[in-house]
């Protein structure tokens, strides 16, 4: 099928009396010009279909089975390989949340709160990604977690989650493009930010014009660079802490004693939770990519397991060293003029404090690459979610347009159009506009992760009630159903912490009533928007909650002889030596 899409041109019968060769009716290969091939690649996929209108059979009816079939029969091409998924899982979400946002968390809560909050959120992410991996391996469908919410919880909640997730990435795109332009200011560039915005926007758009393979290769390269940078910082940080820097003085854990391990008490810890949740945003993209993976049953479990190592090594170890090398009272931590301002990065501050001049510029380049990586993911995440919504008749049908190269070109163009908002960077209203845009996406990841955990809990219940056993699953969450409950509860607690810190932020005593109201809505604006989407859809279409005994547990499975394949693989695994079995538990 994919070969038909990749080669849409046929040999056409033709006759030219001037050619002097060939007879009338004889087939002669007619090769289109390069320009014609480019133009034709944007035409609708010839194997595509019109989005079925039966998803809404009546004005107040929603056909869950038709919607599930539509996401399973998506025309998105399967071009991602195992190495792409592994690097997306390992380094995909490493970005400004870790490199810059962790600085504000360190100032708000101190090194102990920073480490504790990232460890707890990391444990929640591990449980959530394991649950997502189990669902995505058996159901590698378009839309992934938003489709799972429709299928296993409530179509109205799936509608709200789909638009919540798409809106998050659509808003993040212009924010990150502006952030990338701001990174240039670190070197005192005199070029207008608008020029850099145009360059970055064209680069990101160009990468996504190469389809899912372009996204995969782009993230593969970006992730390798980010991983090398973090590993390099960890090695450097250990050397500096034990006294191997230019100054030669041993640091150890002195900064945990003076000025201390905690700051601002419990309120400071809650503020760190919110920052940590933002830093882990995008981890779920590995599940969204399952529908475009060549063999998700083989590739996805390995990628999901590697999330554990990313959390432990790249987040926990690097932030432990940050807390050992940078005082939480350092005024530079709160000097950021944007989410990517390298001057406020604790990584850059640690390098500067050691007197290693020049490496701070290298770190700024890494931050810039991280921002471009997030922008690339923004276009991918928003466009694929819009496609899934269109396939389920929960978004305008035009977003479901997929061309001959498997690109959701209308959805990509829509994301690119909203990316033009980044040119507001040259406007006098820049700060006001972008603060409220950021507020729209503030809690989106939390709602997404909660939905993944709840969908997995309900799937497992339906799986048991309908007479299935866990041995029938191609991949089982290592955290199990308990892990999904832990993930759900931690996400709920983070929502409560965000509500409290939004209503009464650090230093709220010095704020006026209007400033406190503004602070609350900037922190919690996404919640009423999600609720509005849910209630509007629920009121108009009145879809029922999905009952466990009637859940569709078959549509979208890719391997028809799965049980035979699993039996053969388990026989092979039984012959593995003990070291290999232990290795496969973690990798």
């Amino acid at each position: 099928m994919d070969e038909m899409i990749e080669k849409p041109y046929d040999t056409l019968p033709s006759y030219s009396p001037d050619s002097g060769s060939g007879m009338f009716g004889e087939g002669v290969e007619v090769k289109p010009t390069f320009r014609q091939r480019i133009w034709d690649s944007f035409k609708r996929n010839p194997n595509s279909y019109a989005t079925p209108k039966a998803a809404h059979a009546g004005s107040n009816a929603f056909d869950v089975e038709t919607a599930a079939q539509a996401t399973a029969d998506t025309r998105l091409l399967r071009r991602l390989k195992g190495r792409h998924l592994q690097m997306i899982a390992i380094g995909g979400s490493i970005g400004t949340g870790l490199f810059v946002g962790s600085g504000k968390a360190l100032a708000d809560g101190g090194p102990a709160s920073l480490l504790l909050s990232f460890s707890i959120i990391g444990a929640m992410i591990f449980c959530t990604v394991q649950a997502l991996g189990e669902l995505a391996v058996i159901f590698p469908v378009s839309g992934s977690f938003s489709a799972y919410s429709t299928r296993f919880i409530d179509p109205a909640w799936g509608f709200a989650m789909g638009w919540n997730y798409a809106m998050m990435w659509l808003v993040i795109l212009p924010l990150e493009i502006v952030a990338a332009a701001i990174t240039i200011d670190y070197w005192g560039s005199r070029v207008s930010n608008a020029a850099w915005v145009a360059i970055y926007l064209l680069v990101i758009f160009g990468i996504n014009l190469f389809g899912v393979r372009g996204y995969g290769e782009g993230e593969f390269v970006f992730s390798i660079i980010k991983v090398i940078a973090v590993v390099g910082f960890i090695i450097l940080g250990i050397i500096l802490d034990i006294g191997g820097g230019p100054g030669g003085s041993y640091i150890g854990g002195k900064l945990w004693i003076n000025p201390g391990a905690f700051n601002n008490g419990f309120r400071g810890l809650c503020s760190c939770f919110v920052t940590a949740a933002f830093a882990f945003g995008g981890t779920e993209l590995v599940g969204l990519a399952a529908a475009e993976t060549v063999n998700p049953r083989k590739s996805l479990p390995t990628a999901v397991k590697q999330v554990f190592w990313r959390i432990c090594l790249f987040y926990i170890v690097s932030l432990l060293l940050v807390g050992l090398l940078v005082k939480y009272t350092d005024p530079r931590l709160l000097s950021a003029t944007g989410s990517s301002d390298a001057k406020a990065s604790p990584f850059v501050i640690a390098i500067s404090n050691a007197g290693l001049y020049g490496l701070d510029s290298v770190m700024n380049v890494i931050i810039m690459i991280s921002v471009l990586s997030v922008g690339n993911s923004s276009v991918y995440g928003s466009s694929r979610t819009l496609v899934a919504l269109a396939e389920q008749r929960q978004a305008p049908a035009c977003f479901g347009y997929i061309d001959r190269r498997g690109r959701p070109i209308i959805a990509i163009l829509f994301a690119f159009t909203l990316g033009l908002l980044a040119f507001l960077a040259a406007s006098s209203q820049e700060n006001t506009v972008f603060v409220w845009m950021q507020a729209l996406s503030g809690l989106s990841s939390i709602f997404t992760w909660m939905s993944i955990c709840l969908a997995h809990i309900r799937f497992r219940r339906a799986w048991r009630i309908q007479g299935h056993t866990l041995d029938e699953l191609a991949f089982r969450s290592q955290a199990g159903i308990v892990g999904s409950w832990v993930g759900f509860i931690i996400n709920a607690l983070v929502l409560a912490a965000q509500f409290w810190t939004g209503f009464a932020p650090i230093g709220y005593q010095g704020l006026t009533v209007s400033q406190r109201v503004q602070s609350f809505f900037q922190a919690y604006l996404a919640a009423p928007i999600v609720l509005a989407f849910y209630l509007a859809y629920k009121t108009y279409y009145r879809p029922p909650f999905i009952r466990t005994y009637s859940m569709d547990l078959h549509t979208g499975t890719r391997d028809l002889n799965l049980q035979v394949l699993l039996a053969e693989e388990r026989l092979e695994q039984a012959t593995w030596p003990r070291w290999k079995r232990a290795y496969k538990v973690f990798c």
Side-chain angles (χ1 to χ4, degrees):
M1 183 70 71
D2 291 343
E3 286 74 10
M4 294 174 63
I5 298 171
E6 285 291 329
K7 299 180 180 180
Y9 308 106
D10 298 322
T11 298
L12 303 176
S14 64
Y15 172 72
S16 174
D18 300 325
S19 64
S21 63
M23 299 179 63
F24 182 77
E26 183 176 317
V28 178
E29 185 177 2
V30 178
K31 293 184 177 180
T33 63
F34 177 75
R35 182 183 300 176
Q36 185 64 39
R37 292 201 303 272
I38 294 294
W39 175 259
D40 288 348
S41 71
F42 291 100
K43 294 181 179 179
R44 181 183 288 275
N45 185 329
N47 298 291
S48 191
Y49 54 88
T51 306
K53 295 183 179 180
H56 289 126
S59 59
N60 290 325
F62 183 85
D63 189 342
V64 177
E65 292 184 4
T66 302
Q69 189 64 54
T71 57
D73 293 339
T74 181
R75 294 297 101 183
L76 295 170
L77 295 185
R78 299 164 185 170
R79 288 290 179 267
L80 289 178
K81 298 182 179 180
R83 64 183 178 88
H84 297 131
L85 278 188
Q86 289 172 26
M87 291 312 299
I88 291 171
I90 292 174
S93 69
I94 297 176
T96 55
L98 174 64
F99 291 132
V100 181
S102 58
K104 183 178 183 304
L106 177 61
D108 287 344
S113 292
L114 176 69
L115 191 63
L116 184 61
S117 61
F118 271 80
S119 299
I120 293 174
I121 298 298
M124 178 271 291
I125 287 294
F126 173 77
C127 295
T128 301
V129 174
Q130 286 283 324
L132 177 59
E134 180 177 310
L135 293 172
V137 167
I138 191 172
F139 303 114
V141 299
S142 173
S144 189
F145 29 83
S146 65
Y148 300 148
S149 294
T150 296
R151 191 167 177 171
F152 301 130
I153 303 175
D154 179 7
W157 187 247
F159 171 79
M161 286 299 96
W163 277 105
N164 164 71
Y165 195 71
M167 185 173 62
M168 177 189 78
W169 285 121
L170 289 170
V171 167
I172 284 177
L173 177 60
L175 288 173
E176 292 300 322
I177 291 174
V178 170
I182 292 175
T183 59
I184 303 297
D185 292 339
Y186 185 80
W187 294 291
S189 172
R190 297 181 180 179
V191 180
S192 170
N193 279 348
W196 294 113
V197 164
I199 293 172
Y200 293 137
L201 195 59
L202 289 175
V203 169
I204 292 171
F205 183 64
I207 291 174
N208 282 272
L209 280 183
F210 284 97
V212 66
R213 193 65 178 269
Y215 164 75
E217 295 295 349
E219 284 305 298
F220 183 78
V221 174
F222 291 150
S223 295
I224 287 177
I225 294 172
K226 290 186 288 185
V227 166
I228 292 173
V230 174
V231 171
F233 176 81
I234 289 173
I235 295 173
L236 176 63
I238 293 173
I239 293 172
L240 294 177
D241 191 62
I242 62 177
S249 60
Y250 176 78
I251 300 174
K254 295 177 181 178
L255 300 185
W256 282 56
I257 300 173
N258 182 25
F262 292 94
N263 188 32
N264 294 312
F266 186 65
R267 196 186 307 275
L269 176 62
C270 289
S271 297
C272 290
F273 275 123
V274 175
T275 304
F278 171 75
F280 281 105
T283 308
E284 68 287 339
L285 281 171
V286 68
L288 189 65
E292 296 175 89
T293 302
V294 175
N295 190 349
R297 188 173 63 84
K298 290 286 189 180
S299 304
L300 205 56
T302 301
V304 166
K305 291 174 185 177
Q306 289 176 350
V307 170
F308 171 79
W309 297 109
R310 187 193 71 196
I311 293 171
C312 290
L313 180 63
F314 302 138
Y315 284 85
I316 306 305
V317 175
S318 63
L319 291 177
L320 171 63
L321 290 168
V322 162
L324 292 173
L325 297 173
V326 181
K327 295 181 180 180
Y328 71 74
T329 55
D330 194 312
R332 290 172 291 180
L333 293 172
L334 298 176
S335 65
T337 58
S339 63
S340 65
D341 190 346
K343 301 184 196 70
S345 168
F347 292 80
V348 172
I349 293 173
I351 293 171
S352 298
N353 288 346
L356 300 173
Y357 301 105
L359 284 181
D360 53 342
S361 290
V362 173
M363 201 68 212
N364 191 54
V365 172
I366 301 301
I367 293 171
M368 183 175 64
I369 291 173
S370 300
V371 171
L372 285 173
S373 174
V374 174
N376 187 35
S377 297
S378 298
V379 176
Y380 180 81
S382 60
S383 62
R384 271 51 179 189
T385 304
L386 288 172
V387 167
L389 288 169
E391 289 171 340
Q392 297 174 92
R393 305 296 294 178
Q394 294 178 330
C398 63
F399 289 132
Y401 183 96
I402 298 175
D403 66 17
R404 295 184 178 188
R405 297 297 179 187
R407 297 168 298 199
I409 198 66
I410 301 299
I412 290 175
L413 287 173
F414 181 68
F416 176 77
T417 302
L418 289 185
L420 296 176
L421 291 173
F423 284 104
L424 289 172
S427 167
S428 59
Q429 299 298 316
E430 171 194 347
N431 290 334
T432 302
V433 172
F434 286 113
V435 162
W436 287 106
M437 286 176 63
Q438 194 168 19
L440 288 173
S441 62
L443 298 176
S444 296
S445 292
I446 305 298
F447 284 114
T448 297
W449 297 333
M450 285 185 71
S451 298
I452 291 171
C453 292
L454 184 58
H456 180 246
I457 291 168
R458 291 184 51 76
F459 162 75
R460 277 290 190 93
R461 178 173 172 80
W463 191 257
R464 178 175 55 82
I465 288 177
Q466 295 187 27
H468 296 282
T469 64
L470 295 181
D471 289 335
E472 298 176 54
L473 296 174
F475 172 71
R476 274 183 278 175
S477 166
Q478 293 176 318
I481 197 72
V482 174
S484 293
W485 276 112
V486 169
F488 183 84
I489 292 171
I490 292 177
N491 276 298
L493 292 175
V494 171
L495 281 179
Q498 178 76 329
F499 183 90
W500 183 45
T501 57
F503 179 76
I506 295 173
Y508 72 95
Q509 297 89 342
L511 300 177
T512 64
V513 175
S514 63
Q515 288 174 327
R516 290 180 63 179
V517 170
Q518 181 175 341
S519 170
F520 173 77
F521 279 105
Q522 286 176 357
Y524 227 73
L525 182 61
I529 291 177
V530 167
L531 190 61
F533 270 95
Y534 174 74
L535 292 177
Y537 195 89
K538 193 73 172 177
T539 302
Y540 186 77
Y541 290 109
R542 300 182 184 277
F545 292 100
I546 306 300
R547 306 299 295 271
T548 52
Y549 63 81
S550 62
M551 283 182 187
D552 179 6
L553 302 180
H554 302 285
T555 302
T557 54
R558 196 175 287 184
D559 295 313
L560 298 179
N561 58 342
L562 179 61
Q563 298 311 311
V564 176
L565 292 174
L566 289 177
E568 293 176 352
E569 289 174 1
R570 284 165 184 161
L571 285 175
E572 180 187 355
Q573 291 168 6
T575 65
W576 287 352
R578 187 174 300 175
W579 68 265
K580 188 172 182 179
R581 276 180 282 178
Y583 171 79
K584 286 295 183 180
V585 171
F586 298 101
C587 298

